[in-house]
Amino acid sequence: MVIIYCEMHIAAEKKAEYFERVRAAGIIPATNAEPGCLSYELAECAAEPGKLLIVERWESPAALPAHMKGANYAALMKLNAEYGLKGGAAVYTAEPMAK
């Protein structure tokens, strides 16, 4: 499994509009439906208003090139640029813990 963790920051006055536009574009559910996607979430950090988190889980690294060339990724990158969002991402490989 591949886990991608991304942090970005948004101005308080732009946050509600940004989330509404992401919802209206259907980016999150569409990305969750992509082949190889286990989960894709965008949220705000409760402890630090304006800090946005994207946490993605993919079956394998093989799923990422298609995602990063796809319409959902492009739509989110366009919105992020429009709202001046910048951040960093870390990519991890992981295996589920045995129960």
Side-chain angles (χ1 to χ4, degrees):
M1 174 184 353
V2 175
I3 298 171
I4 301 174
Y5 175 84
C6 178
E7 293 182 2
M8 303 175 294
H9 291 84
I10 190 166
E13 67 274 8
K14 295 181 178 182
K15 181 177 55 178
E17 181 181 321
Y18 172 79
F19 274 117
E20 180 54 37
R21 292 196 54 204
V22 170
R23 275 190 290 278
I27 294 167
I28 305 306
T31 301
N32 273 295
E34 289 181 16
C37 184
L38 299 172
S39 66
Y40 187 92
E41 304 297 333
L42 168 64
E44 182 179 23
C45 177
E48 191 177 331
K51 179 179 178 180
L52 305 182
L53 309 171
I54 296 177
V55 181
E56 310 173 38
R57 293 183 313 125
W58 297 87
E59 288 177 357
S60 73
L64 295 176
H67 165 65
M68 295 180 80
K69 292 178 185 172
N72 301 316
Y73 182 83
L76 187 63
M77 292 305 104
K78 182 178 177 185
L79 278 175
N80 288 353
E82 187 177 328
Y83 284 84
L85 301 183
K86 294 183 176 127
V91 180
Y92 306 92
T93 56
E95 294 299 323
M97 293 177 59
K99 292 183 179 184

